[in-house]
Amino acid sequence: MSQPSLCGGGPCAWRGNDIGKGMGQLEMGLGVLQKVARAPCAQLAGTQCGDKSYWHDGAVAEIEKKIIEAFEVFDHECNKTVDVREIGSIVRSLGCFPTEAELHELLAKVEEEEPTGYINLEKFLPVMTKVLLDRSYPPIPEDVLLHAFEALDENKCGYITKEELVKYLTEEGEPFTQEEMEDMLSTALDPETNTVCYRDYISMMIVDES
Amino acid sequence: MGSGSSVNANYKYSLQKSENAFKAAVLIQQWYRRYVARLEMRRRCTWRIFQSIEYACEQDQIKLHNFFSYLMDHFTPSSSKERDFISRMFISGESFKEAELEKYCDYESLEVPDSYTGPRLSFPLLPDHATALLEAFKQKQQLHARYVLNLLHETRKHLKQLPNISHVSTCYSEEVTVCGDLHGQLDDLFLIFYKNGLPSPSKSYVFNGDFVDRGKQSLEILIILFTFLLIYPKEVHLNRGNHEDHMVNLRYGFAKEVMQKYKVHGKKILKMVQNVFCWLPLATLIDQKVLIIHGGISDTTDLDMLEKIQRNKPRPTQAPSMANRLEFSKWVRQTVQEQIEWCRRLVDISESEDEELTYSSVVSLTDLDGPCWTRQEEWKQILDILWSDPMPQEGCRVNTVRGGGCYFGPDVTEKILEKYNLQFLIRSHECKQEGYEFCHNRKVLTIFSASNYYEIGSNRGAYVKLGPDLVPHFVQYQANKTAHTLTMTQRISRVEESAFRALREKLFAHTSALISAFKAYDKDNTGRITLSNWATAVESVLHLGLPWRMLRPQLVRNTANGMLEYKSWLGDLAMEQRSQEHIQSSLLEVIYRNRSNLETIFRIIDRDHSGLISFEEFHQTWKLFSSHMNIEVTDDGINDLVRSIDFNKDGNIDFNEFLEAFRLVKQA
């Protein structure tokens, strides 16, 4: 990955994925991602970038506490382990937007040598701390999301038919399960026209989030 | 070359397009999955909030017991009035002798007016009576007090001859349906009957306790269950739950419901119900293989003992410390004696009662009647069955959260199953998201039948069916039409809102303690603390074990540079609560925090269930309570408080209105 030019260097490199090699509107969107990823670093650290020791102990401790809290919400047996299938939820609820592929990579780092189906907090904590400090899986801004929907909207008419959406999301990319698809349709689909007006959908979801 | 290059260009273009589509799909999926994960986290946090608050409330019950112990240790009544006052707190649980009960809760003299359009019951009951009742309750009609009392009398007579542990066999009626907590939610019972059918000779039911409290139709549920019990005694089985208990009913709403619905005869009905509850069987055994109890077990659970004890004996109150015991018991006996005289005079009974019943209903001293177990040992068996919860770790420890029973581990389960040659346990007592949940290697099944327990959309209810193969089949449901039409997000948001309202109230109730805790992190007195310290401070005060950093965005809105101005934040919390402005704010806080205990104490004092207590009684209560809680309240403070809540200006306090004034504004 190329060194971001806005920054003097140091551990705040933005780690993109294959999408970064895209073209057209998506490329533009990703440029935004790049900027977003870098901006809060200084705030988080409290000092200027470029200084290797700029992560305040306080900042790191606080991040660790947050990770532990999120972990414990899924720790049913109160023994510092969670089911491996819940890792995705934990990572995402901490503000990260990994793809499934990225998640698998992360899992490889935190799993035991002989996978037991459980992940230990001990292994998870340092890896996840680094993820948060590096902002490894930055959020997807609203306009990037919009561009993505527009890319699927062949006729540029502002909506996508149910069939098309289902086709794209269950056959392309990292396919949705049937349950995921139905879930999304339950809020996104306008049952009268059988289409998804994606601008409205995005606006609604953003409001829900806050 | 022309066509070649245009083919190339077309190819390149379509390649680009499919790559774009691929990447767009990934992006949307990536974003959506994150959204779903966030929702899942919010849902779990909401659940944690409700559970921790619910269990913290049960801890209040412990505080109440401590309060009574405190009274025993420190309070020397200086006048007969004070003695009377105190003794009333301890005698609320007394049980009447048979003849007294019949006379006190007599129903035959109650006339049913011709204008009454509700169901009329005659005994022995028939299936038609049951359907009439179901129909009537659907139409929101009320059963006349005469029939209620009659039903309760007959139920009591029937329950008395049942053993402590009911035995059910699947060879008589192919399937047995087991239902968990209903908590006064009549709609859920209707839904169960609709989906599964009414009880009948070919349809057996076991209802595993907690029929009453919290929901608004506890009495209707009791009436229906008791009716079916009497019509189909071989097919319908009821287990006692921890809410089938007078003290608990005073706190959690059943007593209030009865008094509101039956203003004149409510007292009698409550008395009868109390005497029915104590006769409910403790457990049910299916095919000698599946044990059904309301709460759980402990490492000392002994089914042989449970079969033999007298289950209707009332609970011994907290034993006072050894030193005071004799003194205290002497004192109590005196007051008890006086009370009994007074009661006797009222009901005009002659002298031949055996005193054993009256003393044992107040103080637990070593009882030498019956087999060689102490009252305390017997009661521990019952408490464990009714109050325990399973835990993932091995072992068995005291359930400090609930104030009764144990936390029991998979090893305890294994031992009991082995000892009595059982296959698995069915219990209820804990609300579960999906209405049911297995634990301990599928050896313990929790079944919970009150859907939307915390809030609309919070959870499903379920019941379980067992055939001769004893393989459980589950049916889930949710008894609110709106819950279905809401999207997942809306459902979660709604429940979340409710949880956070309750949490904000709790925070407000601890304002002073929070300020002290915050100040400890703000040595320079800037009025600001970091969000990190906020989280630590809040947990140190509330002890709810919640993930405060996850919850923070919903609780704290205005932050600058990661710092919070705590005084104005607390001020905002205070504004949200409806309050009486002319009452001292610290007093307000104290009332909020102890509202639940205060309510229970008021109800105990209000012996005739009128909803009113006199100024003096209120004053007394408040004084005792505040000295126990180390609250400094001047006499002026109390007088101000009292004056402001004398809504009727007649020297009496309607404590329902008083407590209402401190309740949060609930969403309609």
Side-chain angles (χ1 to χ4, degrees), chain A residues 1 23-24 28 52 61 81-82 89 98 109 122 127 152 157 166 171 177 199:
Chain A
M1 280 285 100
M23 25 191 144
M28 195 166 73
K52 288 245 167 178
T81 66
V82 300
S89 301
K109 292 190 203 152
E122 229 175 18
V127 174
L152 301 181
C157 46
V166 170
E171 293 176 22
T177 61
R199 263 182 202 275

Side-chain angles (χ1 to χ4, degrees), chain B residues 199-212:
Chain B
S200 71
S202 59
K203 204 162 276 287
S204 284
Y205 273 91
V206 177
F207 291 94
N208 199 12
D210 276 13
F211 320 122
V212 302

Side-chain angles (χ1 to χ4, degrees), chain B residues 395-410:
Chain B
C396 187
R397 42 191 183 85
V398 173
N399 194 329
T400 46
V401 172
R402 301 246 198 201
C406 302
Y407 285 119
F408 62 98

Side-chain angles (χ1 to χ4, degrees), chain A residues 117-172:
Chain A
Y118 287 97
I119 303 295
N120 261 309
L121 178 59
E122 229 175 18
K123 278 199 143 177
F124 182 70
L125 188 60
V127 174
M128 194 64 215
T129 307
K130 187 165 195 307
V131 163
L132 288 182
L133 290 175
D134 292 350
R135 311 218 86 209
S136 308
Y137 313 122
I140 296 172
E142 196 177 327
D143 51 350
V144 172
L145 190 59
L146 191 59
H147 287 148
F149 274 102
E150 283 175 350
L152 301 181
D153 178 9
E154 295 213 10
N155 307 320
K156 307 292 169 233
C157 46
Y159 61 83
I160 306 178
T161 66
K162 176 181 170 187
E163 288 72 32
E164 274 178 357
L165 193 65
V166 170
K167 188 176 75 123
Y168 281 123
L169 295 180
T170 58
E171 293 176 22
E172 301 275 357

